[in-house]
Amino acid sequence: MNRFFTTMALCLATLSVSASDRLVTAKAPAGIELKHDFEVKARTPNDEWRSIDTYAFKVDRVADAKHNVEITSVAKFEFEGKVEVQVKSIAQDIRSFKVRPDSYGIKARQEGNTLTFSLDRPRYISVEINGNIYQNLQLFADNILEKPKVKKKTDLMYFGPGVHDFKGDSIHIPSGKTVFIDNGAVIKGWLSTYGSHDVKILGHGIVMPGHHEGIMVRYSKNILIDGPLTTQLPIGGSDSVTVRNAKVMSWYGWGDGFNIFASANVYQEHLFARTSDDCSTIYCTRKNYHGGCRNITIKDCVYWADVAHPIMIGLHSETPEDEVIDNVLYDGIEILEHAENQIDYQGCIGINNGDNIMVKNVTFQNFNIDNIRRGMLFNIRVCYNKKYCSAPGRGIQNITLRNIAYRGSAPNMGIIAGYDQSRMVKNVRFENLTINGKLISDDMPGKPRWYKTADMANIYVNDHVEGLTFSK
């Protein structure tokens, strides 16, 4: 009898686990360009395989000082629990492969030209065959989002499966509205919350306006965005904005990803950006948005900068406003690529401070940075970039860089520099910085006592920096 009840309990436990595994797929709308470099399938454990369409997306390859369009593959689905994924390479035989970010530890099994791996949580990953980073597969394995219930039908703007062609024009989202973009929907236009409050934009569909920002939060308050894939998603002149599970991909000049301009109380989590300019920025007065930035939290993101910086803070304002960027946290960031030929615009982590801005109380922690093709790890400067600024910045203070790990070939020399004795960089603290497994600290073994610790990390430090430390 005890054996019977034990068996029943195990069966019920198995049923309970399998009942939590769920997969939701959606066909690409008719008329949307697909790419056939890969065949992608997914299934819950022991279920039937389901085919996943692969969209053709544009990305940027800079060569000969020009933007060159490459066509890459994007596949997406929603799931809960566990899911198995199968990726078959059609365009080329597999001699080698990567599933990145490396730190996720996704172990793929290869059989011929087919890779199989499992996921137990939403992930944004790149599958690369034979080192090809342009004709790769971006796989967006997302959480499940259901069509929301609202009090009145008029409160919901629903974009169901299919193409919604607004000819690239703006769609204004009024206050109090909930927008739901079905996973099988593509909007040819861009969404704007100009002057609105209490707005939700939900769903894993695509907003594809062409050479334009896809979703713009402008002069708004109490905004939630959860799920969409678009070109750019800037926030300007706004307060209390949350962005989760969003993906951006751009290919044109100045195609930044997630901009924050003159805004406060912004929370971003679980994002992906592959961009033709900076992935994530925090600026003050710019593009008719006025003011500083305060209380910004950005967590669990994957950044891929085909041009410029993965992260850029400071630079833009209007003198003599004396604006401040204060209380910023980047936590749990994966940087897959950084490629920039111009020295002034290099830096996986960049604070380039101009226009009388003060940048203070910023923490970068739990970073994994892959091999840098062209660029540097850190570029922290009070500077006067005459192309964009009318004055140098006022200073950079209280910057913590904790648990930063770089794995790759030697990048260009980094830089930490103040402008003069009145516009300095003060109190920059590195804690547990590792470069190819070597811990950089003030008491590290093998460091000659007359060396600066920054020399061991290949970082130039000028005379207008004080309070720089490296600890375990």
Side-chain angles (χ1 to χ4, degrees):
M1 183 65 70
N2 287 342
R3 184 176 299 170
F4 171 79
F5 283 115
T6 301
T7 303
M8 287 297 293
L10 288 171
C11 289
L12 287 171
T14 302
L15 285 171
S16 174
V17 170
S18 63
S20 67
D21 296 326
R22 192 173 160 217
L23 174 65
V24 177
T25 63
K27 296 294 292 181
I32 294 299
E33 184 182 359
L34 301 180
K35 191 164 170 60
H36 303 287
D37 287 358
F38 300 93
E39 287 182 359
V40 182
K41 298 180 180 179
R43 68 178 183 182
T44 53
N46 303 315
D47 203 348
E48 296 293 321
W49 288 105
R50 300 191 209 175
S51 294
I52 311 294
D53 287 331
T54 53
Y55 293 77
F57 264 70
K58 296 176 183 177
V59 294
D60 188 22
R61 178 178 60 84
V62 172
D64 302 321
K66 294 186 296 187
H67 295 279
N68 300 272
V69 174
E70 298 281 353
I71 306 299
T72 189
S73 300
V74 170
K76 60 194 182 76
F77 58 83
E78 303 172 47
F79 80 106
E80 291 176 351
K82 294 183 179 180
V83 69
E84 293 178 308
V85 179
Q86 193 175 85
V87 177
K88 182 177 181 180
S89 177
I90 305 300
Q92 52 188 323
D93 292 335
I94 299 178
R95 299 186 302 275
S96 64
F97 68 89
K98 288 184 178 180
V99 180
R100 297 197 295 160
D102 290 336
S103 66
Y104 288 176
I106 297 171
K107 304 298 183 184
R109 183 177 72 255
Q110 179 183 355
E111 294 183 7
N113 288 326
T114 300
L115 305 175
T116 305
F117 53 89
S118 298
L119 300 173
D120 61 1
R121 70 195 73 180
R123 290 294 201 194
Y124 302 147
I125 60 178
S126 170
V127 180
E128 299 154 19
I129 307 301
N130 304 330
N132 191 331
I133 62 171
Y134 294 108
Q135 282 72 47
N136 64 316
L137 171 69
Q138 279 81 197
L139 181 65
F140 302 138
D142 260 308
N143 61 322
I144 294 176
L145 288 175
E146 307 284 3
K147 182 178 176 182
K149 295 179 180 179
V150 294
K151 292 182 179 179
K152 298 184 294 185
K153 287 185 178 180
T154 55
D155 290 339
L156 179 65
M157 299 173 65
Y158 175 61
F159 295 93
V163 177
H164 305 266
D165 195 349
F166 292 85
K167 310 299 182 184
D169 286 343
S170 170
I171 304 134
H172 181 248
I173 314 300
S175 296
K177 294 289 186 182
T178 295
V179 178
F180 188 75
I181 310 166
D182 192 277
N183 199 0
V186 175
I187 298 174
K188 292 188 175 182
W190 54 282
L191 309 183
S192 170
T193 67
Y194 190 102
S196 299
H197 59 84
D198 300 295
V199 166
K200 297 178 182 179
I201 300 174
L202 314 175
H204 294 300
I206 298 173
V207 181
M208 192 55 59
H211 293 65
H212 197 284
E213 297 92 336
I215 300 174
M216 300 185 71
V217 178
R218 312 167 75 195
Y219 313 106
S220 301
K221 188 170 184 178
N222 296 332
I223 307 296
L224 169 63
I225 299 172
D226 191 341
L229 166 60
T230 188
T231 50
Q232 299 174 248
L233 205 165
I235 298 166
S238 297
D239 191 355
S240 302
V241 179
T242 296
V243 182
R244 297 194 296 252
N245 306 311
K247 291 77 63 178
V248 295
M249 297 182 68
S250 62
W251 68 94
Y252 43 85
W254 297 284
D256 285 351
F258 296 96
N259 295 116
I260 299 172
F261 304 103
S263 295
N265 305 309
V266 176
Y267 183 85
Q268 298 179 339
E269 183 176 19
H270 193 55
L271 309 179
F272 176 92
R274 181 171 187 177
T275 55
S276 52
D277 213 306
D278 305 320
C279 294
S280 172
T281 72
I282 302 175
Y283 296 142
C284 294
T285 294
R286 182 142 171 88
K287 295 188 175 183
N288 291 321
Y289 306 119
H290 295 273
C293 286
R294 287 181 170 84
N295 306 330
I296 312 294
T297 298
I298 300 171
K299 302 176 68 174
D300 184 22
C301 300
V302 179
Y303 293 150
W304 179 318
D306 282 312
V307 188
H309 311 83
I311 295 171
M312 176 57 170
I313 297 175
L315 196 61
H316 298 297
S317 180
E318 284 185 2
T319 53
E321 295 298 327
D322 291 347
E323 291 166 345
V324 175
I325 296 173
D326 185 16
N327 191 25
V328 175
L329 171 66
Y330 282 87
D331 186 7
I333 308 298
E334 306 288 333
I335 296 177
L336 299 190
E337 295 291 335
H338 171 38
E340 173 56 63
N341 287 315
Q342 301 174 91
I343 301 298
D344 277 350
Y345 305 106
Q346 294 182 355
C348 287
I349 297 174
I351 303 177
N352 288 180
N353 192 20
D355 276 342
N356 276 341
I357 300 168
M358 171 64 73
V359 177
K360 61 181 183 178
N361 304 321
V362 181
T363 298
F364 307 95
Q365 65 183 22
N366 304 319
F367 275 55
N368 291 294
I369 303 173
D370 280 4
N371 189 53
I372 294 173
R373 284 181 287 148
R374 291 183 300 278
M376 61 182 73
L377 284 172
F378 311 106
N379 189 333
I380 301 174
R381 290 184 294 145
V382 181
C383 60
Y384 184 11
N385 184 326
K386 294 183 181 180
K387 184 175 180 179
Y388 296 109
C389 302
S390 57
R394 280 186 292 139
I396 298 171
Q397 298 178 2
N398 301 329
I399 310 299
T400 300
L401 301 104
R402 179 183 298 119
N403 301 331
I404 311 292
Y406 173 68
R407 303 172 187 87
S409 56
N412 290 345
M413 181 179 292
I415 181 169
I416 302 175
Y419 187 78
D420 58 26
Q421 284 303 110
S422 65
R423 300 170 184 263
M424 296 185 65
V425 175
K426 296 182 179 181
N427 302 326
V428 175
R429 297 174 293 274
F430 286 89
E431 301 172 7
N432 192 32
L433 167 65
T434 60
I435 298 177
N436 289 319
K438 179 183 287 187
L439 176 63
I440 308 299
S441 68
D442 291 331
D443 59 355
M444 64 187 293
K447 180 179 79 69
R449 57 183 176 79
W450 60 91
Y451 276 32
K452 298 176 182 177
T453 308
D455 296 336
M456 308 301 289
N458 194 30
I459 301 171
Y460 167 74
V461 179
N462 79 353
D463 293 334
H464 307 303
V465 176
E466 65 179 33
L468 172 64
T469 60
F470 295 80
S471 63
K472 297 178 182 178

